[in-house]
Amino acid sequence: MTVSLHAGIGALLTATVLCGQAPEPDPAARRAAASNDVAFALQRALRDPTANLVFSPTSIAGAFAVVHGCLEGETRAEVARALRFDVHGEAFADAQRALTALLAAEGGPLTSASRMWLAEGAAYRRETLARLGREFGTAPETVDFRDAEAARGRINAWTAEATRTRIPEILPTGVLDASVRFVIVDAVHFKDRWASKFDPALTKPRPFAVAADDGKPVGDATAVPMMSARIPARLGADADGSYLELDYASGAYAFFVALPAGGNLRALEDRLTSTTFAAKRAAMKPIDKASVRIPRFRADADLKLHRRGLRELGMSKVFASSTDWRPLIDDALAISYVGHKAVVQVDEEGTEAAAATVAVGKRGGAPKEDFVADRPFLYAVVHKATGAVVFLGRCLRPE
């Protein structure tokens, strides 16, 4: 007797449910949920009461997946705990690879790339480099870090190409020198049009409340270019605020906006986890012709995550010299610099965003049918199938 594949899977799932056991979550979905928890925690660590913010959790995780793969011992364990790689155990690399394949599907709106530069003349373990290539697609190159400016130029040129010139310089002067043993860069670029476009002729200056992230006014309302349309959308509301989600033309991604109740963006952010974020999205209702107003805006960020951000997540050992880098090299190393740059532009056509993360290792050391975003809000670019947040930000004042 033969049984079809679909019937066999259905029988297995039925038997699992009857036995009181929920089916195992998909590895990519589990990785997305873990990444989202890190994203919201990092946003809380990086936020400034009166400043915009944007960053890519996807890029940061991509860079530190490679760092994690170079480590052993307590330093490796600490990186895994801080970035929630540990929820996957030994299957982390498979889960990360599965999620990356979905986010950066061939021909889709998001592209990603990973590159590792190694010091000429230093002895690295080939098996580790081969494994990093298999697991994360990280291509190694050798470079002479003694010529710091030439090395910096090569790395910046690669990053500019990988982000379609949106991040022209990921490494500033003064970061590289002869003691550098590796530089890892993870770059992402996203560009997608709205499924239903905004008519530029309807964009007009409208008031936007200028307030700190706790909702307290810091000035008079200012006029900003506000896009308007009656378009299909998903809307929701609860005690924390009201929510909007608009599809992109690719069908794979959506733009999510959270408008906090009473303008208190900080309070809303404090309650966001992967679970609460997913619940808010799941409760949203489709509206055929919602009246939507959101500002046209651009935001960018230049973050030094080794100073602020990663330490607040519980990462410290990776910044202190140790021999936990033995899977890669016999030298005692430490991460001396973690830079992250991101840019996002939202307009009538759609959204373009890019980000890059660099890590340098050295020796020694019931909804209404309208939504008006006329005060500070949180926003995210979300992969619809997994719920993964690939860009996350806060808009306190459109620029």
Side-chain angles (χ1 to χ4, degrees):
M1 181 178 71
T2 61
V3 179
S4 73
L5 177 62
H6 291 292
I9 291 174
L12 177 61
L13 290 176
T14 301
T16 301
V17 171
L18 289 176
C19 291
Q21 297 176 352
E24 281 293 314
D26 177 81
R30 287 190 70 211
R31 177 85 285 274
S35 177
N36 286 356
D37 274 333
V38 174
F40 296 125
L42 191 55
Q43 171 125 334
R44 289 189 286 271
L46 293 171
R47 63 190 175 187
D48 182 288
T50 59
N52 293 337
L53 175 66
V54 62
F55 65 95
S56 171
T58 298
S59 173
I60 295 167
F64 272 85
V66 180
V67 170
H68 177 261
C70 296
L71 286 164
E72 64 182 10
E74 183 53 32
T75 308
R76 175 184 170 95
E78 186 182 81
V79 169
R81 286 193 300 270
L83 298 179
R84 295 206 65 197
F85 296 167
D86 60 347
V87 302
H88 310 284
E90 293 301 313
F92 162 67
D94 292 339
Q96 178 71 14
R97 185 167 59 252
L99 178 58
T100 300
L102 288 174
L103 298 183
E106 186 174 354
L110 185 135
T111 58
S112 67
S114 176
R115 186 64 55 94
M116 187 174 193
W117 287 265
L118 306 171
E120 284 184 359
Y124 299 91
R125 290 189 170 79
R126 294 182 179 179
E127 61 272 22
T128 296
L129 297 177
R131 175 173 52 79
L132 294 174
R134 291 192 305 270
E135 292 178 344
F136 308 119
T138 305
E141 289 186 16
T142 57
V143 65
D144 185 358
F145 288 116
R146 293 171 299 180
D147 188 346
E149 278 305 293
R152 190 175 78 91
R154 263 177 76 177
I155 295 167
N156 284 339
W158 180 89
T159 305
E161 182 177 1
T163 60
R164 301 188 188 177
T165 72
R166 296 303 181 263
I167 310 292
E169 181 181 276
I170 190 60
L171 276 173
T173 58
V175 172
L176 303 181
D177 58 37
S179 68
V180 173
R181 287 297 172 265
F182 68 79
V183 172
I184 296 165
V185 178
D186 187 275
V188 296
H189 177 268
F190 175 87
K191 188 173 185 178
D192 209 346
R193 294 177 180 272
W194 302 119
S196 299
K197 292 183 183 179
F198 290 84
D199 183 351
L202 299 179
T203 300
K204 300 184 184 302
R206 298 183 186 275
F208 187 94
V210 181
D213 61 8
D214 60 2
K216 295 178 181 177
V218 294
D220 297 330
T222 186
V224 303
M226 192 73 76
M227 305 185 297
S228 302
R230 289 186 63 81
I231 50 179
R234 287 179 295 282
L235 298 178
D238 59 22
D240 291 333
S242 53
Y243 312 101
L244 163 76
E245 193 164 278
L246 299 176
D247 282 340
Y248 289 108
S250 68
Y253 285 87
F255 186 72
F256 172 89
V257 179
L259 197 65
N264 195 328
L265 181 57
R266 179 171 291 260
L268 185 151
E269 290 173 335
D270 286 344
R271 286 190 281 274
L272 278 178
T273 66
S274 177
T275 301
T276 59
F277 177 67
K280 291 178 189 304
R281 292 189 64 229
M284 299 173 81
K285 305 297 183 185
I287 306 296
D288 287 338
K289 287 190 176 181
S291 177
V292 175
R293 286 185 186 172
I294 58 174
R296 186 175 66 203
F297 70 95
R298 182 185 189 279
D300 56 55
D302 183 358
L303 307 171
K304 306 297 185 285
L305 296 178
H306 58 291
R307 296 177 185 165
R308 181 182 174 199
L310 295 178
R311 294 180 188 273
E312 286 79 355
L313 296 182
M315 203 181 296
S316 61
K317 292 183 182 297
V318 76
F319 303 119
S321 182
S322 79
T323 57
D324 282 351
W325 301 90
R326 281 172 295 202
L328 178 68
I329 194 171
D330 284 330
D331 287 342
L333 304 180
I335 296 286
S336 62
Y337 181 88
V338 182
H340 182 81
K341 288 189 176 183
V343 60
V344 63
Q345 181 167 322
V346 176
D347 59 25
E348 291 85 355
E349 291 292 315
T351 301
E352 182 171 12
T357 306
V358 59
V360 178
K362 287 187 177 182
R363 296 176 64 183
K368 296 178 181 179
E369 295 191 8
D370 65 298
F371 187 95
V372 180
D374 59 356
R375 57 186 186 272
F377 57 87
L378 175 142
Y379 62 89
V381 174
V382 184
H383 184 249
K384 291 168 63 178
T386 63
V389 173
V390 295
F391 287 89
L392 180 63
R394 60 203 326 243
C395 182
L396 298 184
R397 182 171 183 166
E399 295 177 356

